[in-house]
Amino acid sequence: LLSVSFVEASADDGPGKSVSNYYYEALKYPCPPNLSVWWNMGSMLFLILGAQILTGVMLTMNYTADEQLAVVSVDYIMRDANYGWIIRSLHMGGASMFFALIYMHIARGVYFGAYLKNTHVWYSGLTLYLLSMGVGFLGYVLPWGVMSYWGLTVITNMMTVIPGGARALDWFQGGFVISTVTLKRVFVLHFLLPFVILGLSLAHVLLLHVNGSSNPLGLDETNFSVPFHPYYSIKDLAGFALLLAGLVGMTFTFASLTADPLQWQPINKMKTPAVIKPEWYFLYAYAILRSIPHKAGGVFTMFAAIAGIAVFPMISSNENFQSMKACPPARLMFVIWVANFMFLTVIGAQEPTGGWVLAGQFGTILHLSALVMIPMIKADWEFYLFMTAQLDEEESVVNDVKRFLGPRLLSN
Amino acid sequence: RDDMRRETPILKEALKRISRQDLEARNFRIARATVLYNAKIELPREQWTELDEDKLYLTPHVEAIKKELKERKDFEKSK
């Protein structure tokens, strides 16, 4: 990019931009001067996506999507293909890192109010998350281990809760049962969807460039900006170095850290395993799915929990403050929400018996209510802060609390 | 508190209506906050603005603009 010769924009330039405009857009884009490490997640996700596509293409060259040959081909990759074990381990570890980064990226967005400044970016990001979940699930099916088959059985049977779902299930499976035909189409989808994700990621960044990034303090920093290069290009490179170090370290030391031992057992379609569970990044949704005793209720609650972050822009449009920096009660609710997310992840890995069922139900209610309560608490606190200014006399603590709670109670 | 308002079209319009003195003071406080945040330095206690000393220089303009927009909308509806 630095060696490209600049062409001045002229009146003859139609809707397309000149080269100098692309240079400006990419390298000299004005950014807030105080972006913290939480703003590295986006670029790191881009890097991991590229790594996954690269390693995935290499795995594709040796993988066979057939019931009888899938395990053999994966075994060939791991044992015989030159450095195949590295490529596969990178791909496995990369998937875990991808989702860890996504969750941190979303948490950053909630905490710093990114959904307020860039609503379209928020919704495109949610779409990316849903697509990524699909791709991750499809990829887990490909090794054709015990968890692959039974995980596919559990998730595809969720289709039956909608009217006509049974026919749709047969259509997806390519027959009345899961077979080689199903595996082939899962493989095709797992190959194609990452490129859709790549295109949508570029759109996600372009949409971000309409309004620009938010910042940790949530202040209006329109007049104080620094160019992306060299400040944040260097910072992103540092993030890349740490990320690659983590990924490579994981690949060469704990490659199967998140893998289920049952994946190495041959499939027995007549014997359901005692515990069916997905990879760690889906466990919170799995816990929510299992906490509702009704099948359709569980499926809809799970999707509501996954896509629930879509409500943030809808119920927050009147908020004055961007970040939670000035809102201690909302910060507390946020921490509870994150801790509950981790709690649900642990619950999802347990057998659904005894106290774990009640814990899952409690976690589900807390997760769903936090999605609504966080913006509401933030709005209430702001209202309290601005209303306090209108009072002249000294008030006691009791009156302070009454004033905080008062407007909502009075309006009811 | 008015320094922490997020950037919206209403805020941009309100910023055009405040005095130059208020605007420059606001810019100074925001720049100071940014620099201190980057350096991980906390503002000394004696320089903190107490709640009762905090003059809301933007809120009256924001409320006025919201009222104007509402009036315009009602007028367009009644046409």
Side-chain angles (χ1 to χ4, degrees):
Chain A
L1 273 172
L2 291 175
S3 62
V4 167
S5 61
F6 300 138
V7 175
E8 290 298 321
S10 70
D12 296 331
D13 279 347
K17 292 190 173 195
S18 67
V19 173
S20 63
N21 283 349
Y22 283 120
Y23 172 73
Y24 175 82
E25 184 79 22
L27 291 188
K28 292 297 180 190
Y29 189 76
C31 303
N34 58 338
L35 297 182
S36 62
V37 69
W38 295 104
W39 271 257
N40 277 52
M41 305 295 152
S43 57
M44 285 157 87
L45 276 164
F46 224 83
L47 178 73
I48 285 279
L49 179 64
Q52 288 296 94
I53 288 176
L54 199 62
T55 52
V57 165
M58 283 193 256
L59 288 171
T60 304
M61 293 172 186
N62 293 292
Y63 175 75
T64 308
D66 182 278
E67 267 196 289
Q68 311 303 324
L69 298 174
V71 175
V72 172
S73 65
V74 171
D75 223 33
Y76 171 80
I77 289 168
M78 291 298 284
R79 293 172 194 271
D80 295 324
N82 286 333
Y83 305 110
W85 60 275
I86 297 178
I87 304 295
R88 197 226 175 164
S89 301
L90 277 171
H91 201 72
M92 272 171 61
S96 285
M97 289 216 140
F98 189 78
F99 279 96
L101 287 169
I102 279 187
Y103 292 136
M104 287 196 278
H105 193 60
I106 292 173
R108 185 283 310 256
V110 171
Y111 187 90
F112 293 111
Y115 54 89
L116 286 169
K117 189 166 186 182
N118 293 299
T119 312
H120 292 108
V121 180
W122 188 254
Y123 287 122
S124 62
L126 176 59
T127 312
L128 280 168
Y129 173 49
L130 294 171
L131 280 173
S132 304
M133 285 184 87
V135 169
F137 162 66
L138 293 169
Y140 196 59
V141 172
L142 298 180
W144 212 236
V146 170
M147 277 305 156
S148 302
Y149 177 80
W150 290 103
L152 182 64
T153 309
V154 166
I155 299 303
T156 52
N157 273 285
M158 288 197 308
M159 276 192 225
T160 55
V161 303
I162 53 173
R167 294 283 290 269
L169 177 61
D170 296 340
W171 174 77
F172 176 76
Q173 284 175 170
F176 298 114
V177 294
I178 292 173
S179 62
T180 297
V181 175
T182 319
L183 182 57
K184 280 190 194 310
R185 52 192 61 189
V186 162
F187 178 47
V188 166
L189 285 173
H190 183 70
F191 187 90
L192 284 179
L193 283 177
F195 295 103
V196 174
I197 289 175
L198 187 64
L200 193 55
S201 303
L202 288 168
H204 186 66
V205 173
L206 285 173
L207 284 169
L208 173 68
H209 283 198
V210 171
N211 277 337
S213 297
S214 55
N215 61 82
L217 291 171
L219 300 174
D220 171 23
E221 291 180 352
T222 323
N223 299 325
F224 314 101
S225 58
V226 295
F228 176 77
H229 177 71
Y231 296 97
Y232 293 112
S233 53
I234 302 289
K235 191 164 185 159
D236 279 349
L237 279 174
F240 291 170
L242 276 171
L243 179 66
L244 287 173
L247 181 60
V248 169
M250 197 173 150
T251 298
F252 286 94
T253 50
F254 304 111
S256 307
L257 182 70
T258 60
D260 194 305
L262 285 175
Q263 278 290 76
W264 276 266
Q265 283 188 16
I267 293 173
N268 182 350
K269 294 183 184 180
M270 295 294 127
K271 187 181 167 198
T272 312
V275 176
I276 301 173
K277 61 183 176 76
E279 278 282 87
W280 71 266
Y281 33 85
F282 296 146
L283 285 173
Y284 84 98
Y286 197 56
I288 292 170
L289 174 72
R290 293 189 311 187
S291 65
I292 311 290
H294 188 258
K295 183 176 178 180
V299 171
F300 290 126
T301 309
M302 183 187 75
F303 278 113
I306 292 169
I309 54 171
V311 305
F312 277 108
M314 292 178 206
I315 55 179
S316 308
S317 52
N318 291 330
E319 279 179 28
N320 291 308
F321 296 163
Q322 181 122 12
S323 166
M324 278 190 202
K325 281 269 178 203
C327 187
R331 285 216 297 267
L332 177 63
M333 194 65 223
F334 174 81
V335 167
I336 292 171
W337 182 54
V338 170
N340 183 58
F341 175 87
M342 293 178 191
F343 182 49
L344 281 170
T345 302
V346 169
I347 292 170
Q350 311 303 320
E351 280 189 47
T353 53
W356 291 115
V357 175
L358 196 62
Q361 288 165 348
F362 174 75
T364 302
I365 293 169
L366 189 54
H367 180 86
L368 291 171
S369 50
L371 293 173
V372 174
M373 279 171 66
I374 287 173
M376 275 176 61
I377 289 173
K378 224 173 135 194
D380 263 347
W381 180 257
E382 286 169 18
F383 186 78
Y384 164 67
L385 273 186
F386 278 95
M387 224 183 74
T388 311
Q390 296 162 19
L391 298 166
D392 294 325
E393 66 276 20
E394 274 190 24
E395 297 276 348
S396 67
V397 171
V398 170
N399 283 337
D400 274 351
V401 172
K402 270 192 199 169
R403 213 170 35 245
F404 177 63
L405 294 172
R408 283 233 176 259
L409 292 175
L410 283 172
S411 63
N412 288 338
Chain B
R1 277 160 289 176
D2 274 344
D3 291 348
M4 301 236 7
R5 283 186 179 271
R6 65 185 177 97
E7 190 191 335
T8 57
I10 293 177
L11 182 83
K12 283 182 189 166
E13 179 61 33
L15 285 172
K16 290 178 192 168
R17 298 186 184 190
I18 60 175
S19 67
R20 192 178 173 84
Q21 196 181 1
D22 279 341
L23 186 64
E24 285 178 0
R26 170 189 161 85
N27 287 342
F28 167 75
R29 287 191 297 269
I30 290 176
R32 182 181 64 180
T34 307
V35 168
L36 289 177
Y37 180 82
N38 277 348
K40 295 187 184 10
I41 298 170
E42 214 171 81
L43 197 67
R45 187 70 178 86
E46 54 272 12
Q47 291 186 36
W48 289 16
T49 307
E50 298 298 329
L51 201 59
D52 48 3
E53 290 167 2
D54 185 17
K55 177 174 149 266
L56 294 176
Y57 60 95
L58 264 180
T59 302
H61 295 286
V62 167
E63 297 303 321
I65 292 167
K66 281 183 185 170
K67 197 175 163 195
E68 285 164 23
L69 287 171
K70 187 176 179 303
E71 279 173 7
R72 191 179 299 174
K73 198 172 163 188
D74 291 341
F75 176 71
E76 296 293 328
K77 263 191 206 169
S78 64
K79 264 194 197 172

